[in-house]
Amino acid sequence: MSSTDLPECGVARFLMLCNGPWATLIVRELLHGPQRFGELREALPGISAHTLTSRLRSFEERGILTRTAYAEIPPRVVYELTDLGRELRPVLDAMNAWGSTAPASAFTAVSVDA
């Protein structure tokens, strides 16, 4: 996708980057500091190794995080947010504040009669 194909709306652009729940939760965990794959997987119960790997690669390609591989035995790989990735903190803080204060009724399904 070229820059001319990007939506004008910033919210739409954000959703292109962080579509689905795992993306924002991965960023949330990395806001605590550099982490290894296993640490991220443990912090995100239910995420598959495939999904985590895919999201991490995508974020690396887009400049949201860095991946540092250390030549050790066993090999050690550490993921860390870049400055661009850390700029997502206020976005996640706002989402957390809203989610923490919204009434429970906002999260329950309402049946609609046709």
Side-chain angles (χ1 to χ4, degrees):
M1 173 176 282
S2 72
S3 60
T4 57
D5 296 333
L6 288 173
E8 289 185 31
C9 174
V11 173
R13 287 182 182 201
F14 174 82
L15 291 174
M16 286 176 64
L17 176 68
C18 289
N19 62 341
W22 294 120
T24 50
L25 295 175
I26 292 167
V27 171
R28 177 198 68 190
E29 292 306 315
L30 289 172
L31 283 169
H32 299 298
Q35 296 197 35
R36 296 176 69 175
F37 186 89
E39 293 170 323
L40 288 169
R41 186 122 187 251
E42 185 176 312
L44 300 167
I47 193 169
S48 70
H50 174 78
T51 297
L52 181 55
T53 299
S54 173
R55 294 294 184 171
L56 291 170
R57 284 182 182 155
S58 174
F59 282 165
E60 183 181 15
E61 290 170 4
R62 295 171 180 201
I64 301 299
L65 62 78
T66 59
R67 177 186 184 274
T68 305
Y70 296 91
E72 300 174 351
I73 298 192
R76 179 171 57 109
V77 177
V78 176
Y79 298 92
E80 183 174 10
L81 292 175
T82 61
D83 289 342
L84 180 62
R86 285 188 290 276
E87 288 177 13
L88 290 168
R89 180 180 295 279
V91 176
L92 270 63
D93 287 347
M95 291 169 62
N96 182 51
W98 185 88
S100 298
T101 59
S105 61
F107 304 100
T108 56
V110 177
S111 64
V112 178
D113 294 328

